[in-house]
Amino acid sequence: MPDHETELRFDPEWQAARKQEAERANFGISKLERLPGNVGYLDIHYFHRPEWGGEAIVSAMQLISHADAIIFNLSHCFGGYPGMVALVCSYLFGEEPVHLDSIYWRDEDFTQQYWTLPFVPGKRFPNIPVYVLTSKATFSAGEEFAYILQCRKRAVIIGEKTDGGAHPGASYRIHPHFEVFIPIGRTINPVTGTNWEGCWITPDILVPQEKSFNTAYKESLQSILANVIGSSADTKTKFIEEIQTAITMLDTQ
């Protein structure tokens, strides 16, 4: 039976339409900003294929590279491509290669590995505190990103349990008006030897979605405050005041 999704991937018109959709969605980057206290914030709704959205992600990562802590919001991230997950992760680890994930493809009896990249444009920031927001809607590649960082103890996951979809698949047309999605692969984390299929990802700090941002923001500010440095006493004092003001605002909400 023909693989309808594979057929479409070789259709130039279909490819062009999907790329245009990705461009209009800013390649999954919904929001990027610097929060008071020098906390970087990146809201990703989809990890588009790196050959399409790589430049956008690289630009985003460079813009937050000078933050003292980073919050990745994946509360609305419903999937994407592991290659883009690997690109983002490459900025969060050092130059030593890190095996992030593998996917076993049943139809080809082949295991595909994903590692951090040997080179990324701009600087890496392997020591900056990282916080990842999750919700019941976080799925597939969004979960993969959170799971990798949690297993490597590279980030604190904050929010709700995720949706629990780790097995990649494909859509098969069995009727002109009916398709079925069938898993054809299995994700294997090199640390745990398994994945999150059907068992979800449990955050390190379990809170309702509506409280996850404030929780992560306060955690990041307190982490920065505990390690704050400045080029002069005046600069350090102003920065501490900025952090303390932000914490006070969160406490009153």
Side-chain angles (χ1 to χ4, degrees):
M1 187 162 303
D3 181 342
H4 177 51
E5 188 175 81
T6 300
E7 290 176 354
L8 288 174
R9 286 175 181 167
F10 287 99
D11 183 336
E13 292 185 5
W14 185 86
Q15 285 274 6
R18 299 293 80 74
K19 185 176 182 181
Q20 187 177 61
E21 290 176 1
E23 290 173 348
R24 287 173 175 167
N26 200 32
F27 299 106
I29 301 172
S30 179
K31 192 173 185 179
L32 170 67
E33 64 177 317
R34 175 200 177 273
L35 302 171
N38 200 32
V39 176
Y41 176 81
L42 181 55
D43 187 349
I44 300 177
H45 285 196
Y46 194 81
F47 287 93
H48 280 279
R49 58 185 71 186
E51 58 266 35
W52 288 1
E55 290 184 1
I57 281 290
V58 165
S59 296
M61 298 302 285
Q62 289 179 332
L63 283 172
I64 61 175
S65 64
H66 300 290
D68 289 297
I70 298 173
I71 298 172
F72 289 95
N73 188 351
L74 301 185
S75 299
H76 304 284
C77 184
F78 61 93
Y81 291 78
M84 184 62 94
V85 171
L87 175 57
V88 179
C89 285
S90 296
Y91 282 92
L92 306 179
F93 293 93
E95 295 183 359
E96 189 70 23
V98 177
H99 184 190
L100 301 171
D101 232 343
S102 296
I103 297 179
Y104 170 73
W105 299 103
R106 185 177 62 228
D107 54 348
E108 300 176 357
D109 190 25
F110 169 73
T111 299
Q112 183 176 9
Q113 295 185 346
Y114 293 91
W115 293 69
T116 52
L117 304 178
F119 168 80
V120 291
K123 72 171 187 176
R124 302 175 192 263
F125 28 97
N127 299 315
I128 294 177
V130 174
Y131 303 85
V132 178
L133 309 185
T134 60
S135 74
K136 298 173 185 176
T138 308
F139 187 67
S140 189
E143 294 176 287
E144 179 190 20
F145 182 78
Y147 194 71
I148 288 171
L149 297 186
Q150 186 181 54
C151 291
R152 292 286 180 181
K153 302 186 185 303
R154 181 61 188 91
V156 177
I157 313 302
I158 300 175
E160 300 172 333
K161 292 181 180 179
T162 60
D163 199 24
H167 294 168
S171 297
Y172 295 85
R173 176 174 289 179
I174 60 177
H175 183 274
H177 303 291
F178 187 74
E179 292 183 1
V180 60
F181 181 86
I182 300 176
I184 58 174
R186 176 167 55 89
T187 304
I188 306 169
N189 182 277
V191 176
T192 65
T194 183
N195 58 48
W196 60 94
E197 179 71 25
C199 59
W200 316 283
I201 296 172
T202 301
D204 301 299
I205 302 177
L206 193 61
V207 295
Q209 180 186 348
E210 60 269 19
K211 295 183 178 180
S212 62
F213 171 76
N214 281 3
T215 302
Y217 189 19
K218 187 173 181 179
E219 288 277 334
S220 63
L221 289 170
Q222 290 174 334
S223 173
I224 295 170
L225 189 60
N227 299 282
V228 66
I229 58 173
S231 57
S232 66
D234 184 56
T235 299
K236 184 175 180 179
T237 299
K238 288 181 178 179
F239 187 45
I240 290 175
E241 289 176 352
E242 180 182 341
I243 296 172
Q244 291 175 333
T245 299
I247 291 176
T248 300
M249 289 183 64
L250 288 171
D251 287 338
T252 58
Q253 292 179 0

